Amino acid sequence: MFNMRFVSQDWVVSCALILLVSCTTYSSASLGKPENNIKTSVFKSPKIELGPGLVSNKFYFDVDFPRGHIALKSFNAELVDESEKSVPLQETYLHHWLIIKYHQPKNVTHNNQTDIVFVRNSGFCQDGTLIQYFGLGSETRGTATDIPDPFGIEVGNPSEIPYGYDEKWLINVHAIDTRGVEDRLGCIECRCDLYNITKDADGNPLSPDYKGGLDCCPDNTTCRLNKGFKGPKRTLYLKYTVKWFSWDNYVVPLKIYILDVTDVLNVSKGGTPKHNCEVEYQVEPRSKGYNSSDVRKTSFPMQTGGYVIYGVGHQHAGAIASTLHGQDGGVICSSIPKYGTGSEAGNEKGYVVGMSTCYPRPGTIKIKDGETLTLEIIYSNSEMHSGVMGLFYILVAEQLPHQHHL
């Protein structure tokens, strides 16, 4: 099984300048397969039942997904109501959604989860952590996930599916209904006192230093409401849109790497290196009179390199920037959060509603085999933030198009 443990203006300007230098946008259609071959499929998850303050964090197995040997070109998702109207974050906060591939014996229903084999991405985290193919949170409406031509993520390859098994997909949706809650920021940061949680899922007492995070907002818990508040229950769905086309020899396959700033690499003498990823951490408030930010860094070797085709960070409220550096200190990709300024869905004030992305021209950003990368995550520490994340997604091609066809 897998483990779901899962801003100052000067900073934004300086990081935006880095972004402009390191990320060149180009026309994907100019590189190969014409865009009119791309198919678009729109699906909805099973019902997500919520009431004021209630948390839903469920796993939906064998969800609808394009079948066959295909190349994935993008995956976007958002919460919608029964009329398929977009739901704003200040009503229901989308903490995260994940799409995960797995193999299951044929003629077995999705209700029977025995003999499932999860198929993870190429990232470093172990113990079933961060194995998803795609996954975002509150920023999902404003973050590009399109993959330029002639690249694609290969799925459904019959030669990679064990005999007697089917390839299937599951979706995990973590949503928090914040209508009428006492402390909206505290609820979306899963503060333990607001959920009245003192033990983890295994019944062990939580550390007094653990102020909030995934352990404190599990499925079917309720965040503290304003006294006397009552509101109707509602039914929501995760609406997800997949762009894809049938696989052919012109497609250059990409590997998915999900990097985590909490990753600690342990290397024992004579043993296999082990990556320990905590997924989330806590930002402590700065001392009074100091003007600083919370900066976290981690470094890890990339055993097999390649050419970076796409990059994006994943952060929560309070985020300032996320940057991936090469061994020489150069910027591979810098991803900057966009904060909303209004009340409508996709522009909710105070929420991270998008992350900037990097599309380097193929061949311009190469990670060498064995190169040590450094991930840097910056948060504002003007106040405490619990359960924050510092993840970075990159898509890497081991070969360029002209090499792939040799």
Side-chain angles (χ1 to χ4, degrees):
M1 197 59 180
F2 56 91
N3 175 18
M4 267 309 304
R5 287 281 316 143
F6 235 2
V7 186
S8 77
Q9 189 174 9
D10 289 343
W11 266 110
V12 173
V13 171
S14 62
C15 290
L17 289 174
I18 294 172
L19 182 67
L20 289 172
V21 171
S22 64
C23 305
T24 303
T25 302
Y26 61 95
S27 169
S28 62
S30 68
L31 288 177
K33 181 173 287 292
E35 291 185 358
N36 58 14
N37 282 339
I38 296 177
K39 300 176 177 65
T40 300
S41 301
V42 182
F43 305 107
K44 288 195 303 185
S45 71
K47 292 181 179 180
I48 301 171
E49 306 283 359
L50 286 170
L54 189 64
V55 176
S56 178
N57 187 12
K58 293 181 171 60
F59 295 83
Y60 305 102
F61 285 79
D62 195 16
V63 296
D64 292 328
F65 201 83
R67 303 298 177 181
H69 190 189
I70 63 174
L72 298 180
K73 298 296 287 182
S74 74
F75 193 107
N76 297 95
E78 67 165 338
L79 285 177
V80 298
D81 62 17
E82 289 185 292
S83 63
E84 296 204 11
K85 181 180 178 183
S86 299
V87 178
L89 293 169
Q90 66 267 26
E91 294 181 12
T92 302
Y93 181 72
L94 183 54
H95 186 283
H96 68 258
W97 59 264
L98 309 173
I99 179 80
I100 298 170
K101 184 170 77 169
Y102 66 96
H103 294 149
Q104 186 173 34
K106 291 179 180 291
N107 304 318
V108 174
T109 66
H110 65 276
N111 292 323
N112 186 344
Q113 296 169 19
T114 59
D115 298 322
I116 281 178
V117 179
F118 291 100
V119 184
R120 60 163 303 126
N121 58 63
S122 299
F124 308 130
C125 296
Q126 294 170 265
D127 298 326
T129 302
L130 299 176
I131 66 173
Q132 66 267 24
Y133 268 50
F134 293 95
L136 292 171
S138 66
E139 77 277 21
T140 186
R141 293 186 180 106
T143 302
T145 63
D146 296 288
I147 297 171
D149 294 324
F151 304 96
I153 296 171
E154 183 180 16
V155 300
N157 186 342
S159 68
E160 296 179 357
I161 302 173
Y163 178 77
Y165 281 72
D166 287 322
E167 181 176 282
K168 297 182 179 182
W169 296 84
L170 75 83
I171 284 181
N172 168 227
V173 184
H174 190 184
I176 304 172
D177 190 322
T178 57
R179 293 174 296 159
V181 297
E182 183 180 288
D183 179 353
R184 184 171 280 124
L185 177 61
C187 288
I188 69 174
E189 291 192 340
C190 298
R191 304 279 175 83
C192 301
D193 59 331
L194 293 173
Y195 287 90
N196 195 28
I197 298 290
T198 58
K199 298 180 179 180
D200 64 18
D202 297 322
N204 300 312
L206 293 171
S207 166
D209 295 329
Y210 186 79
K211 303 300 182 184
L214 290 169
D215 277 338
C216 287
C217 54
D219 189 39
N220 288 327
T221 53
T222 300
C223 196
R224 188 185 305 152
L225 297 171
N226 287 310
K227 189 174 182 180
F229 181 86
K230 295 187 182 299
K233 293 183 178 180
R234 65 193 312 193
T235 298
L236 305 181
Y237 303 87
L238 186 78
K239 179 181 177 181
Y240 54 104
T241 302
V242 188
K243 291 184 179 180
W244 58 280
F245 59 75
S246 298
W247 189 267
D248 62 38
N249 291 332
Y250 291 97
V251 185
V252 180
L254 296 175
K255 287 189 173 182
I256 305 167
Y257 290 89
I258 302 178
L259 313 175
D260 179 13
V261 78
T262 70
D263 183 355
V264 176
L265 179 60
N266 293 323
V267 182
S268 59
K269 187 176 180 180
T272 302
K274 181 175 177 58
H275 291 264
N276 295 304
C277 299
E278 295 294 330
V279 181
E280 58 180 3
Y281 62 99
Q282 188 164 298
V283 173
E284 299 296 344
R286 62 180 175 235
S287 300
K288 190 174 181 180
Y290 286 84
N291 185 15
S292 62
S293 301
D294 183 271
V295 181
R296 303 287 174 105
K297 294 183 181 181
T298 191
S299 297
F300 31 72
M302 189 93 162
Q303 298 301 330
T304 303
Y307 300 92
V308 177
I309 304 302
Y310 170 88
V312 69
H314 170 70
Q315 295 181 269
H316 292 184
I320 293 176
S322 53
T323 305
L324 184 64
H325 297 271
Q327 189 164 317
D328 62 359
V331 174
I332 292 174
C333 176
S334 187
S335 185
I336 313 301
K338 175 187 176 183
Y339 285 88
T341 58
S343 59
E344 67 275 18
N347 187 36
E348 298 92 335
K349 186 175 181 179
Y351 291 87
V352 176
V353 296
M355 294 291 294
S356 66
T357 52
C358 295
Y359 287 95
R361 183 169 293 279
T364 60
I365 301 291
K366 183 179 181 180
I367 299 171
K368 298 176 183 178
D369 291 353
E371 181 173 354
T372 297
L373 307 182
T374 297
L375 177 59
E376 179 182 69
I377 301 294
I378 305 175
Y379 272 89
S380 168
N381 58 0
S382 60
E383 61 181 319
M384 190 265 281
H385 292 286
S386 61
V388 305
M389 295 184 182
L391 309 182
F392 213 95
Y393 294 67
I394 54 173
L395 299 180
V396 176
E398 293 188 350
Q399 295 178 316
L400 293 176
H402 66 279
Q403 299 168 325
H404 177 67
H405 296 138
L406 291 178

